[in-house]
Amino acid sequence: MRLSQFHLHTVKETPAEAEIVSHKLMLKAGMLRKLAAGLYTWSPLGLRVLRKVEAIVREEMDRAGAIELLMPTVQPRELWEETGRWEKFGNQLLKITDRKEADYCYAPTAEEVVTDFARSELASYKQLPLNFYQIQTKFRDEIRPRFGVMRSREFLMKDAYSFDLDDDGMRRSYEAMHAAYVRIFTRLGLRFRAVQADSGAIGGDASQEFHVLADSGEDAIAFSTGSDYAANIETAQAALPGPRPSPGEAMRKLDTPTQKTCEDVAALLGIDLQRTVKSIAVIGADADGKEQFVLALVRGDHDANEIKLAKVEGLANYRMATEAEILAHLGSEPGFLGPVIADGAAAQGARAPKPPIRVVADREVAAMADFVVGANEAGFHLAGVNWGRDLSEPDSVADLRSVVEGDRAADGGELRIVRGIEVGHVFQLGDKYAQAMGCTVLDEHGKPRVLKMGCYGIGISRIVAAAIEQNFDANGILWPDAMAPWRVAVCVINPKRDETVAAAAKALYRELVDAGIETVLDDRGLRPGQMFADIELIGIPHRVVVSDRGLAAGTFEYRARSAEGPENLDREALFARLR
């Protein structure tokens, strides 16, 4: 490829609309051009990178035994109603109506469509296992698209779906996809981690996310120094606390006139924040589905984790309690709440019979003694509170909190927190979609069996931005070789003034291409400074300069993109370096 015949349009100014490094550099390098909010045109340069990622993903999916197909991006409402997701998926689902007033959506994912395909194509267990995949455009109507293609509304995605007869087969398919993902991100030259994750809107029994590690990542990842354990902060768990100490203090009421937070109370009392307990009032559901007032307790220095809280029985669809509900149940305003009944009845292990209150304690809180809580009376807290003596044992104990840096891990190591950008996700769906849509085959006994499914997604366009967030410097992008638009740029000094130099550059370019080294020839005739700035900005890993001075010395000026300076190499050394 000759740049004089290619569309390359870089800009010097940093676009005002860009908030993060990848968005800025993709616009400056001319890889993207905004069409509307969350919608981008990929330039020829950007498309070259996108296709590099796509090719590696396709190769590894084929290697893992997945079979490529292509499904529509516009999907009928009826399929989504079979799974109940037409309403449940939320406002990210872009709904459209055709001229016949039939309802459709623009695909954000394809579980319904691929399950419909499978139920019409598969009849016998002998056809299994199968894994279908596609590389296709998706659309999610983000309320606030931002960060360029990192969180756009339209994006390119690889989604795959496995079908097996039983759970063991599903797990084998899942592991095969997990291994394929490891190969993909390794080949792309990215630093990444696979972490345990919540299944979210897709659902299913187990899932893992693949994160490209970058300081700008939106997601926090916890990993242990003692093993390969890693998990999204939404699901990460610390080690179980030790046994509960025996009570050492008497319960007493303390005057805290304006102290409504655990931090302020601890400061007033001159105690460690870890000795306090914060009470979070929410409304859940009891066994009969009726609303129930719940007091969730976490240690004062910890934060409640919304995902974990929603996994507690009865709290799947919880909401925060209103001030009126708090007053009705606890007789106090927020800021002074606690699990001990204000009239002292709880000191004898009893609770007020009406209205009912359920207490859910984090594992750490359940192991505490002599702690401080609100007294359910404005201006007061209780100190020296102990389970079983001053209040009943909690109704349930669960992991409710987000882990923090330095927590002890279950393997004996310490938890560390890093930032990551999610670029892939694998799920064990089980029979969630197959059951809802009647996707069955006949087993070896001739009986119908509901299939077990897995779902595996990779954000191909997102990988491009994530790679930049991990690989850049003050001059521009530092692509890993596998993702670069070209591996080598041959730069010609004064090609129009010196035909000998131009001819030598063309000859070197042809030799490199013939040797199987992907090369671009910069024959635009720009001044060296501007030419080199462009090559660095767009991230070409290797630059070779052909000049009259170098030809006279029998050398070429070579510089790796990440090197501090150039070096002069003869032809043999140059080819050895580039190979």
Side-chain angles (χ1 to χ4, degrees), residues 277-425:
V277 171
K278 65 178 72 170
S279 302
I280 304 163
V282 299
I283 302 297
D286 62 17
D288 297 323
K290 297 180 180 179
E291 285 195 343
Q292 182 181 46
F293 188 89
V294 180
L295 210 58
L297 308 178
V298 295
R299 210 168 70 187
D301 60 327
H302 291 157
D303 291 323
N305 185 306
E306 294 179 1
I307 301 296
K308 292 181 179 181
L309 192 57
K311 291 183 177 180
V312 175
E313 184 178 358
L315 297 183
N317 298 302
Y318 79 89
R319 63 173 174 82
M320 301 304 295
T322 65
E323 290 195 19
E325 289 169 329
I326 292 171
L327 184 62
H329 286 80
L330 297 176
S332 175
E333 64 180 81
F336 303 97
L337 308 184
V340 181
I341 304 303
D343 61 5
Q348 288 74 44
R351 286 210 180 96
K354 291 184 181 181
I357 298 173
R358 178 186 173 197
V359 175
V360 179
D362 179 67
R363 299 183 307 183
E364 297 282 349
V365 174
M368 291 175 68
D370 300 327
F371 52 90
V372 177
V373 295
N376 292 321
E377 182 180 351
F380 294 94
H381 278 73
L382 299 174
V385 177
N386 284 272
W387 296 106
R389 186 194 71 182
D390 307 311
L391 73 169
S392 301
E393 295 289 340
D395 296 302
S396 55
V397 177
D399 178 21
L400 302 181
R401 71 177 180 95
S402 296
V403 298
V404 295
E405 182 90 12
D407 273 338
R408 186 169 56 89
D411 55 29
E414 285 192 354
L415 292 180
R416 297 284 184 263
I417 309 294
V418 295
R419 308 298 301 183
I421 300 167
E422 183 189 345
V423 291
H425 207 154

Side-chain angles (χ1 to χ4, degrees), residues 320-557:
M320 301 304 295
T322 65
E323 290 195 19
E325 289 169 329
I326 292 171
L327 184 62
H329 286 80
L330 297 176
S332 175
E333 64 180 81
F336 303 97
L337 308 184
V340 181
I341 304 303
D343 61 5
Q348 288 74 44
R351 286 210 180 96
K354 291 184 181 181
I357 298 173
R358 178 186 173 197
V359 175
V360 179
D362 179 67
R363 299 183 307 183
E364 297 282 349
V365 174
M368 291 175 68
D370 300 327
F371 52 90
V372 177
V373 295
N376 292 321
E377 182 180 351
F380 294 94
H381 278 73
L382 299 174
V385 177
N386 284 272
W387 296 106
R389 186 194 71 182
D390 307 311
L391 73 169
S392 301
E393 295 289 340
D395 296 302
S396 55
V397 177
D399 178 21
L400 302 181
R401 71 177 180 95
S402 296
V403 298
V404 295
E405 182 90 12
D407 273 338
R408 186 169 56 89
D411 55 29
E414 285 192 354
L415 292 180
R416 297 284 184 263
I417 309 294
V418 295
R419 308 298 301 183
I421 300 167
E422 183 189 345
V423 291
H425 207 154
V426 292
F427 302 85
Q428 292 182 29
L429 295 176
D431 61 5
K432 175 180 178 180
Y433 294 93
Q435 181 73 51
M437 298 183 68
C439 184
T440 64
V441 299
L442 297 181
D443 64 15
E444 63 269 29
H445 303 297
K447 296 182 179 180
R449 292 271 293 273
V450 176
L451 295 183
K452 302 291 184 176
M453 293 175 58
C455 171
Y456 320 98
I458 285 182
I460 292 180
S461 49
R462 201 169 209 238
I463 285 174
V464 176
I468 296 173
E469 291 294 328
Q470 192 181 79
N471 302 279
F472 69 93
D473 63 12
N475 296 323
I477 304 166
L478 293 106
W479 291 117
D481 275 24
M483 295 180 63
W486 299 277
R487 284 192 61 232
V488 180
V490 173
C491 299
V492 192
I493 303 298
N494 296 326
K496 296 180 180 178
R497 297 182 184 179
D498 193 325
E499 294 183 1
T500 302
V501 171
K506 291 178 183 178
L508 176 62
Y509 164 72
R510 285 193 294 269
E511 286 185 85
L512 289 168
V513 172
D514 290 343
I517 300 171
E518 192 177 36
T519 305
V520 65
L521 176 63
D522 193 344
D523 58 346
R524 294 175 296 167
L526 301 179
R527 293 181 177 179
Q530 183 179 355
M531 177 168 52
F532 297 162
D534 275 353
I535 297 302
E536 290 187 338
L537 174 60
I538 66 176
I540 307 300
H542 309 277
R543 186 185 79 198
V544 181
V545 179
V546 182
S547 65
D548 53 0
R549 180 181 301 176
L551 291 179
T555 61
F556 301 99
E557 182 185 284

Side-chain angles (χ1 to χ4, degrees), residues 15-249:
E17 66 187 88
E19 301 175 69
I20 60 174
V21 168
S22 60
H23 195 192
K24 294 175 183 177
L25 291 178
M26 291 179 83
L27 290 174
K28 289 183 69 175
M31 295 177 63
L32 293 177
R33 290 296 179 254
K34 182 179 177 180
L35 178 64
L39 302 176
Y40 290 89
T41 297
W42 288 78
S43 74
L45 179 71
L47 187 60
R48 287 188 67 88
V49 179
L50 194 67
R51 292 292 184 247
K52 293 287 188 71
V53 177
E54 183 179 329
I56 289 176
V57 170
R58 180 174 279 110
E59 288 171 9
E60 292 299 338
M61 293 303 295
D62 293 344
R63 176 183 172 187
I67 305 168
E68 188 170 8
L69 49 60
L70 189 63
M71 293 176 279
T73 57
V74 177
Q75 304 176 356
R77 172 177 180 165
E78 291 76 15
L79 288 183
W80 283 72
E81 286 188 329
E82 286 189 56
T83 61
R85 292 206 299 171
W86 182 256
E87 298 298 337
K88 288 182 180 179
F89 199 88
N91 293 330
Q92 284 191 337
L93 187 66
L94 179 64
K95 300 175 181 179
I96 52 181
T97 305
D98 69 6
R99 67 180 68 192
K100 296 181 180 180
E101 300 300 316
D103 291 327
Y104 295 84
C105 65
Y106 197 116
T109 183
E111 284 80 15
E112 283 80 3
V113 175
V114 77
T115 306
D116 178 68
F117 177 79
R119 69 182 174 183
S120 64
E121 295 288 320
L122 305 180
S124 169
Y125 75 97
K126 295 180 181 179
Q127 295 172 271
L128 304 175
L130 275 175
N131 189 335
F132 299 113
Y133 82 95
Q134 66 171 349
I135 296 177
Q136 176 66 291
T137 301
K138 300 290 189 297
F139 188 96
R140 294 180 185 175
D141 199 6
E142 293 278 356
I143 189 171
R144 184 174 169 246
R146 60 195 189 278
F147 307 150
V149 296
M150 191 73 76
R151 190 167 292 281
S152 58
R153 294 195 292 169
E154 184 181 77
F155 52 94
L156 187 64
M157 179 180 178
K158 186 284 302 178
D159 46 324
Y161 307 89
S162 62
F163 295 86
D164 288 276
L165 190 64
D166 53 30
D167 289 333
D168 287 341
M170 176 184 66
R171 283 189 284 269
R172 285 192 295 271
S173 294
Y174 180 88
E175 291 303 323
M177 286 294 99
H178 185 282
Y181 276 36
V182 170
R183 293 195 300 269
I184 286 168
F185 297 119
T186 300
R187 285 184 60 186
L188 289 171
L190 300 172
R191 301 187 303 279
F192 69 95
R193 272 189 178 271
V195 304
Q196 297 177 15
D198 181 72
S199 296
I202 302 297
D205 303 319
S207 71
Q208 284 180 292
E209 294 172 350
F210 286 78
H211 286 259
V212 168
L213 303 182
D215 291 339
S216 60
E218 289 186 283
D219 297 309
I221 300 167
F223 70 94
S224 173
T225 60
S227 69
D228 61 356
Y229 172 78
N232 191 298
I233 202 72
E234 296 171 343
T235 61
Q237 292 190 350
L240 287 168
R244 181 193 297 167
S246 300
E249 302 176 9

